[in-house]
Amino acid sequence: MSNQPQNSAVEIPGVRRLLLAETDPPRLTGEQTAAMTRRWDEAVAANPSLFDGPTVVCAGLERKDPETLLLTWYRATYRLYLLRLDPVHAVTAPSVFVTVAQPTDDGRLLVGRMASSTAAPGRWQLPGGTIEPPQESGTSLDLEELRRHAARELAEEVGRDVPPGELELWTVTRGDKGNVGIHFRTPACPAATLTEQYTALVAGESAQGRTPELDRIAFIRSDADVVGLGGRSADFLSVLAARHAATGTTGQAYVRR
């Protein structure tokens, strides 16, 4: 399997099992480190809410068998991603992220627009976020940990609490800059309930002086609806919206193993 970045997101078909293995990060030259620091300082000056937190970077993807994918990863912080943009000192540093496909009982799919305070303001996507490496001793990064992370993202961004065990591995994508998306699907819920939960989340965050990560939510039926959202969207959104339309509200093409 190629580890080269893709210009747009593509689905990696047939993934039923995902294995993760940690490796050492690559060494940066002094020039690369200086360029990374300079770009990070400029980004923080433009958006003071940015946080240089720990993150997981993809070192490679390999098919172990037709249904099993091995993802090799290493630890870094968010500032490394800015080095990808440097015309002289660029590095290949694909991010690893999770999303949650939350269907409604009438066949639609919840999407959200990133707030101005985030790293991708105005971008429409599924609830989710980049992966943080385990901090506790003895905790490994595995599919169960990704499932827990996805459930937290859904609660933090939409206000919907779903037990991690109810999130099914749905599909995997490779997209912009080689970024790897691990996408889960949760049981259907009425759109009115999802809207109420999101509205309550926004009210609670605002009352405490915080800005919600999603400043809007909407419901779409297929990839044809993505353009109608207005603005830009994550490169994987059309791919997953088409998949949702093909599988239906309760269709589960991939099952938990």
Side-chain angles (χ1 to χ4, degrees):
M1 177 175 295
S2 171
N3 287 320
Q4 296 301 312
Q6 304 288 339
N7 292 326
S8 60
V10 295
E11 187 175 1
I12 301 176
V15 178
R16 292 178 178 268
R17 289 177 291 275
L18 182 67
L19 307 176
L20 297 104
E22 184 174 4
T23 190
D24 293 329
R27 288 183 176 273
L28 300 180
T29 66
E31 291 81 3
Q32 286 175 318
T33 301
M36 179 175 63
T37 300
R38 182 178 64 255
R39 283 182 170 273
W40 178 256
D41 290 343
E42 292 171 351
V44 171
N47 185 355
S49 64
L50 292 179
F51 171 62
D52 191 25
T55 189
V56 166
V57 180
C58 175
L61 286 175
E62 178 186 356
R63 287 272 193 184
K64 303 304 292 183
D65 61 50
E67 296 184 345
T68 305
L69 188 66
L70 172 64
L71 189 158
T72 306
W73 63 277
Y74 62 88
R75 298 168 186 261
T77 63
Y78 280 98
R79 67 176 60 203
L80 180 65
Y81 296 140
L82 295 183
L83 192 57
R84 301 182 299 190
L85 307 175
D86 194 285
V88 177
H89 306 294
V91 297
T92 301
S95 68
V96 181
F97 65 94
V98 294
T99 74
V100 180
Q102 173 62 71
T104 65
D105 55 5
D106 62 357
R108 292 179 291 168
L109 185 67
L110 183 148
V111 295
R113 189 178 69 179
M114 299 294 286
S116 59
S117 59
T118 66
R123 185 178 71 187
W124 287 93
Q125 61 182 54
L126 300 185
T130 52
I131 300 298
E132 295 182 6
Q135 301 299 309
E136 297 181 6
S137 177
T139 302
S140 61
L141 185 63
D142 55 19
L143 186 58
E144 294 306 313
E145 182 61 26
L146 297 185
R147 188 175 276 110
R148 287 189 288 270
H149 185 84
R152 286 196 299 271
E153 293 286 350
L154 185 64
E156 292 172 359
E157 295 185 358
V158 181
R160 177 157 177 75
D161 291 312
V162 177
E166 293 187 9
L167 272 63
E168 304 291 337
L169 178 61
W170 196 35
T171 192
V172 179
T173 58
R174 195 95 200 257
D176 182 35
K177 301 180 181 66
N179 298 337
V180 179
I182 298 134
H183 309 284
F184 296 93
R185 184 179 173 100
T186 193
C189 178
T193 299
L194 294 170
T195 301
E196 290 172 2
Q197 292 171 340
Y198 171 73
T199 301
L201 171 72
V202 171
E205 291 290 283
S206 300
Q208 298 185 52
R210 297 194 295 260
T211 302
E213 290 188 56
L214 301 179
D215 63 11
R216 280 186 60 189
I217 63 169
F219 301 95
I220 61 175
R221 291 190 180 277
S222 71
D223 52 318
D225 294 336
V226 173
V227 175
L229 291 170
R232 63 194 184 101
S233 60
D235 63 339
F236 59 83
L237 185 56
S238 290
V239 174
L240 298 187
R243 183 174 225 285
H244 168 75
T247 57
T249 303
T250 59
Q252 298 286 339
Y254 297 121
V255 296
R256 181 179 175 184
R257 294 289 180 91

